[in-house]
Amino acid sequence: MSTARKRRAVPALPNPIADMAGYFDASLTDGELSALRREVSARTGLSHMQLFHSLEPAAAKVIGEATGIYYRSVPEHWVYIHIAKELGISYKGFARNQPKHSIAPFVTFAKKHFQQLRGPLNGTQRAIAETQVHMCWNDWMDANCPCGDSSHWLCNDTFAPRDYDAIIDEITIFNATRPRMVPLRLVAASTKPIESAE
C-alpha cells in the first residue's frame, strides 16, 4: 500500500475586487481623478494616451472579470483606484470628500429663466426642455462656480447631482401656480370733445 499522502487542494483566496464596496472605498470627483491620473502618469512614465490605450483597458478587464461587469462599463475612478493600489499610490489622499455645492440657487434661477415652461409635456417637449435646462446649467455653472478657475469642465461633480427631469417638474409646477401675464391693451383716447354741462 502506498504511503504517499494525497495533497489537498489549497482553496483559492477570494478576489478582493469582488467586494466592490470594500475595494473601491473612495469617491473621486473629475478634478480629483484627473490629479490621480497625472500621478500615475508621473510614476509610470506613460503619457495620458498610453494610459488610455494600455493600462486603463487592462485594469478594467481585471475588474470586469472579478465583478461580472462588462469591462467597458467599469467606472473610470474604479480603474484608477485599482491601478493606484497595484502601484502603491495613496489614492485616498486625492479624494478630499468635499461637501457638494447646493444646486438650489440654480433651480431658483431656472424658475425665473423658464417662465413659459408649463406642463404637461409630451416626450418630445420634455426632451427639448431637458436639453435647454442642461445648457442653462452649463452657463450658470460657468458664471457661478466658486472654484475661481477660468475653466470649469472638471467642476460639474463638485455640485450636488442634478436630476433634470425633477427640475423640469419643479419648474412646471411652479409656473402652474404663477398667474399668467396678460398683456395690457392700450385704449386709444377718444377724440370726441367733452361736452360742457349746461
Side-chain angles (χ1 to χ4, degrees):
M1 177 183 286
S2 174
T3 57
R5 295 181 179 178
K6 291 184 179 179
R7 291 184 179 179
R8 292 183 178 179
V10 177
L13 295 174
N15 191 329
I17 302 175
D19 176 17
M20 292 180 280
Y23 191 80
F24 303 108
D25 55 353
S27 178
L28 298 163
T29 65
D30 287 340
E32 293 162 357
L33 177 60
S34 181
L36 178 56
R37 186 186 293 111
R38 288 194 297 270
E39 179 65 17
V40 170
S41 177
R43 292 280 190 98
T44 60
L46 299 176
S47 69
H48 285 192
M49 287 301 293
Q50 289 170 324
L51 291 175
F52 178 77
H53 288 294
S54 61
L55 203 56
E56 289 181 21
K61 287 177 181 177
V62 170
I63 295 168
E65 289 172 1
T67 61
I69 298 173
Y70 180 54
Y71 81 99
R72 290 187 183 275
S73 300
V74 172
E76 191 176 9
H77 72 277
W78 284 15
V79 168
Y80 273 90
I81 286 174
H82 175 70
I83 292 171
K85 286 187 174 188
E86 295 279 289
L87 297 177
I89 297 173
S90 177
Y91 59 93
K92 288 187 179 179
F94 292 86
R96 300 177 192 171
N97 296 318
Q98 298 283 354
K100 302 287 188 183
H101 302 302
S102 171
I103 64 166
F106 167 69
V107 175
T108 300
F109 173 82
K111 286 177 180 177
K112 295 178 181 177
H113 188 74
F114 294 101
Q115 294 185 19
Q116 303 305 317
L117 186 59
R118 294 175 182 266
L121 304 175
N122 61 35
T124 300
Q125 291 169 331
R126 182 168 284 275
I128 293 169
E130 185 171 337
T131 300
Q132 291 173 335
V133 172
H134 194 167
M135 292 170 61
C136 181
W137 160 257
N138 291 337
D139 293 341
W140 183 90
M141 188 190 65
D142 283 345
N144 295 276
C145 183
C147 74
D149 294 339
S150 57
S151 176
H152 304 282
W153 68 281
L154 291 176
C155 297
N156 246 315
D157 61 356
T158 62
F159 287 84
R162 292 156 304 284
D163 182 342
Y164 292 111
D165 255 349
I167 293 172
I168 290 168
D169 288 340
E170 194 169 338
I171 292 170
T172 56
I173 292 169
F174 178 77
N175 286 339
T177 62
R178 182 201 301 270
R180 290 183 181 271
M181 300 298 292
V182 179
L184 296 177
R185 293 182 180 179
L186 296 178
V187 179
S190 173
T191 56
K192 183 178 179 182
I194 299 175
E195 297 179 359
S196 59
E198 294 181 355

